Amino acid sequence: AKAFGESVAASSSAGELVAATTWGADMAVVKTWWRPSNGAWSPPAMLLPPGFHRSYDASAATLSDGSLAVVAGADLARRKYCLDGASVALMRRDTSGAVQLSIVDDQHGTGRIDDRPMIAAGSGGQVWVGWSQGTHAHSCDVIGGDDRIRIARSSDHGATFGPPIALPSAGIGPDFGVQIAPVGSGDAWVTWSALSSRG
């Protein structure tokens, strides 16, 4: 008995990629399926970096070199409904089908947590990943009470990322739900939601 959620997809001339969070009896993990052009769907592969025990909140994009990428949150799964060591993981599948797994933002062993990551790609190898980041004190909240938006940018098709930058807060409550729209020349528009305590 399994349930699926948070399904996303991306495609290029090389093939198609689908990802979804799967919930089993004692584990939630993002799984990905790959189908090369005119080929069959692969068995599922887990998006779960070494040292982490759960993944969630997948987002997918087609990169300018034809690679397909998925980001997800990954944590230690110490508590069923809370995040511990939550970080941002990235899986890239190049045009040959080869997979590279990396960490965009590692909060393993810190007092902070990452949540709700998303990925967007522009031209010339530009890739953006955004997420909300809060403190361990809010690790059991649906929306972390002190969450703020972070953005990291890559110029080499997601192989490496620069240091994340914190976006300015709207000042009315926690920030979450980041979306990124590349607009060319290395620029992107970023939007997000802010939860107001004023009702």
Side-chain angles (χ1 to χ4, degrees), residues 121-124 126 128 153 180-189:
S123 60
Q126 299 291 315
W128 289 262
R153 186 175 75 165
I180 304 169
V183 293
S185 301
D187 295 333
W189 286 99

mmCIF file of all heavy atoms in Angstrom, residues 121-124 126 128 153 180-189:
data_model
loop_
_atom_site.group_PDB
_atom_site.id
_atom_site.type_symbol
_atom_site.label_atom_id
_atom_site.label_comp_id
_atom_site.label_asym_id
_atom_site.label_seq_id
_atom_site.Cartn_x
_atom_site.Cartn_y
_atom_site.Cartn_z
ATOM 1 N N ALA A 121 15.192 26.941 -14.883
ATOM 2 C CA ALA A 121 16.364 26.986 -15.754
ATOM 3 C C ALA A 121 16.168 28.030 -16.844
ATOM 4 O O ALA A 121 15.073 28.196 -17.380
ATOM 5 C CB ALA A 121 16.610 25.615 -16.382
ATOM 6 N N GLY A 122 17.262 28.721 -17.164
ATOM 7 C CA GLY A 122 17.261 29.689 -18.242
ATOM 8 C C GLY A 122 18.232 29.276 -19.329
ATOM 9 O O GLY A 122 18.630 28.111 -19.429
ATOM 10 N N SER A 123 18.662 30.211 -20.127
ATOM 11 C CA SER A 123 19.581 29.928 -21.224
ATOM 12 C C SER A 123 21.020 29.954 -20.737
ATOM 13 O O SER A 123 21.322 30.431 -19.644
ATOM 14 C CB SER A 123 19.380 30.952 -22.346
ATOM 15 O OG SER A 123 19.633 32.262 -21.852
ATOM 16 N N GLY A 124 21.928 29.429 -21.559
ATOM 17 C CA GLY A 124 23.351 29.537 -21.288
ATOM 18 C C GLY A 124 23.813 28.852 -20.023
ATOM 19 O O GLY A 124 24.777 29.303 -19.399
ATOM 20 N N GLN A 126 22.256 28.650 -17.154
ATOM 21 C CA GLN A 126 21.763 29.243 -15.920
ATOM 22 C C GLN A 126 20.696 28.357 -15.262
ATOM 23 O O GLN A 126 19.754 27.923 -15.907
ATOM 24 C CB GLN A 126 21.159 30.622 -16.195
ATOM 25 C CG GLN A 126 22.130 31.636 -16.767
ATOM 26 C CD GLN A 126 23.175 32.064 -15.754
ATOM 27 O OE1 GLN A 126 22.860 32.341 -14.610
ATOM 28 N NE2 GLN A 126 24.424 32.118 -16.179
ATOM 29 N N TRP A 128 18.497 28.191 -11.413
ATOM 30 C CA TRP A 128 18.198 28.759 -10.101
ATOM 31 C C TRP A 128 17.492 27.719 -9.256
ATOM 32 O O TRP A 128 16.621 26.988 -9.738
ATOM 33 C CB TRP A 128 17.273 29.965 -10.220
ATOM 34 C CG TRP A 128 17.885 31.193 -10.799
ATOM 35 C CD1 TRP A 128 18.384 32.266 -10.133
ATOM 36 C CD2 TRP A 128 18.046 31.499 -12.197
ATOM 37 N NE1 TRP A 128 18.848 33.213 -11.011
ATOM 38 C CE2 TRP A 128 18.657 32.773 -12.287
ATOM 39 C CE3 TRP A 128 17.728 30.816 -13.372
ATOM 40 C CZ2 TRP A 128 18.952 33.371 -13.498
ATOM 41 C CZ3 TRP A 128 18.027 31.403 -14.580
ATOM 42 C CH2 TRP A 128 18.639 32.673 -14.632
ATOM 43 N N ARG A 153 22.285 30.203 -7.394
ATOM 44 C CA ARG A 153 22.334 30.217 -8.860
ATOM 45 C C ARG A 153 23.561 29.463 -9.358
ATOM 46 O O ARG A 153 24.634 29.530 -8.764
ATOM 47 C CB ARG A 153 22.360 31.647 -9.387
ATOM 48 C CG ARG A 153 22.257 31.703 -10.918
ATOM 49 C CD ARG A 153 22.175 33.113 -11.407
ATOM 50 N NE ARG A 153 23.466 33.784 -11.330
ATOM 51 C CZ ARG A 153 23.740 34.928 -11.954
ATOM 52 N NH1 ARG A 153 22.819 35.537 -12.668
ATOM 53 N NH2 ARG A 153 24.940 35.477 -11.846
ATOM 54 N N ILE A 180 10.298 30.975 -9.385
ATOM 55 C CA ILE A 180 11.357 31.679 -10.105
ATOM 56 C C ILE A 180 11.070 31.611 -11.604
ATOM 57 O O ILE A 180 10.780 30.538 -12.131
ATOM 58 C CB ILE A 180 12.731 31.051 -9.816
ATOM 59 C CG1 ILE A 180 12.990 31.022 -8.303
ATOM 60 C CG2 ILE A 180 13.844 31.813 -10.530
ATOM 61 C CD1 ILE A 180 14.196 30.195 -7.906
ATOM 62 N N ALA A 181 11.160 32.758 -12.286
ATOM 63 C CA ALA A 181 10.938 32.825 -13.731
ATOM 64 C C ALA A 181 12.152 33.465 -14.400
ATOM 65 O O ALA A 181 12.356 34.682 -14.276
ATOM 66 C CB ALA A 181 9.681 33.626 -14.046
ATOM 67 N N PRO A 182 13.015 32.680 -15.083
ATOM 68 C CA PRO A 182 14.149 33.261 -15.810
ATOM 69 C C PRO A 182 13.663 34.194 -16.914
ATOM 70 O O PRO A 182 12.688 33.892 -17.606
ATOM 71 C CB PRO A 182 14.848 32.030 -16.397
ATOM 72 C CG PRO A 182 14.401 30.885 -15.537
ATOM 73 C CD PRO A 182 12.992 31.212 -15.153
ATOM 74 N N VAL A 183 14.357 35.330 -17.066
ATOM 75 C CA VAL A 183 13.941 36.303 -18.076
ATOM 76 C C VAL A 183 15.081 36.673 -19.016
ATOM 77 O O VAL A 183 14.982 37.635 -19.766
ATOM 78 C CB VAL A 183 13.371 37.584 -17.409
ATOM 79 C CG1 VAL A 183 12.074 37.269 -16.697
ATOM 80 C CG2 VAL A 183 14.378 38.201 -16.444
ATOM 81 N N GLY A 184 16.186 35.902 -19.006
ATOM 82 C CA GLY A 184 17.282 36.151 -19.930
ATOM 83 C C GLY A 184 18.379 36.998 -19.321
ATOM 84 O O GLY A 184 18.190 37.679 -18.306
ATOM 85 N N SER A 185 19.565 36.928 -19.964
ATOM 86 C CA SER A 185 20.743 37.696 -19.543
ATOM 87 C C SER A 185 21.128 37.425 -18.095
ATOM 88 O O SER A 185 21.631 38.311 -17.398
ATOM 89 C CB SER A 185 20.506 39.196 -19.738
ATOM 90 O OG SER A 185 20.231 39.481 -21.094
ATOM 91 N N GLY A 186 20.873 36.203 -17.615
ATOM 92 C CA GLY A 186 21.242 35.845 -16.259
ATOM 93 C C GLY A 186 20.331 36.394 -15.191
ATOM 94 O O GLY A 186 20.655 36.325 -14.002
ATOM 95 N N ASP A 187 19.180 36.937 -15.583
ATOM 96 C CA ASP A 187 18.235 37.516 -14.624
ATOM 97 C C ASP A 187 17.025 36.611 -14.448
ATOM 98 O O ASP A 187 16.716 35.773 -15.305
ATOM 99 C CB ASP A 187 17.756 38.894 -15.097
ATOM 100 C CG ASP A 187 18.883 39.908 -15.145
ATOM 101 O OD1 ASP A 187 19.850 39.748 -14.368
ATOM 102 O OD2 ASP A 187 18.788 40.843 -15.956
ATOM 103 N N ALA A 188 16.318 36.802 -13.347
ATOM 104 C CA ALA A 188 15.093 36.052 -13.089
ATOM 105 C C ALA A 188 14.187 36.879 -12.187
ATOM 106 O O ALA A 188 14.653 37.659 -11.350
ATOM 107 C CB ALA A 188 15.402 34.711 -12.431
ATOM 108 N N TRP A 189 12.881 36.711 -12.378
ATOM 109 C CA TRP A 189 11.897 37.266 -11.461
ATOM 110 C C TRP A 189 11.632 36.221 -10.383
ATOM 111 O O TRP A 189 11.537 35.028 -10.673
ATOM 112 C CB TRP A 189 10.596 37.593 -12.178
ATOM 113 C CG TRP A 189 10.664 38.815 -13.058
ATOM 114 C CD1 TRP A 189 10.844 38.846 -14.406
ATOM 115 C CD2 TRP A 189 10.550 40.166 -12.640
ATOM 116 N NE1 TRP A 189 10.864 40.122 -14.860
ATOM 117 C CE2 TRP A 189 10.673 40.971 -13.798
ATOM 118 C CE3 TRP A 189 10.352 40.783 -11.394
ATOM 119 C CZ2 TRP A 189 10.606 42.360 -13.740
ATOM 120 C CZ3 TRP A 189 10.283 42.169 -11.344
ATOM 121 C CH2 TRP A 189 10.406 42.940 -12.507
#
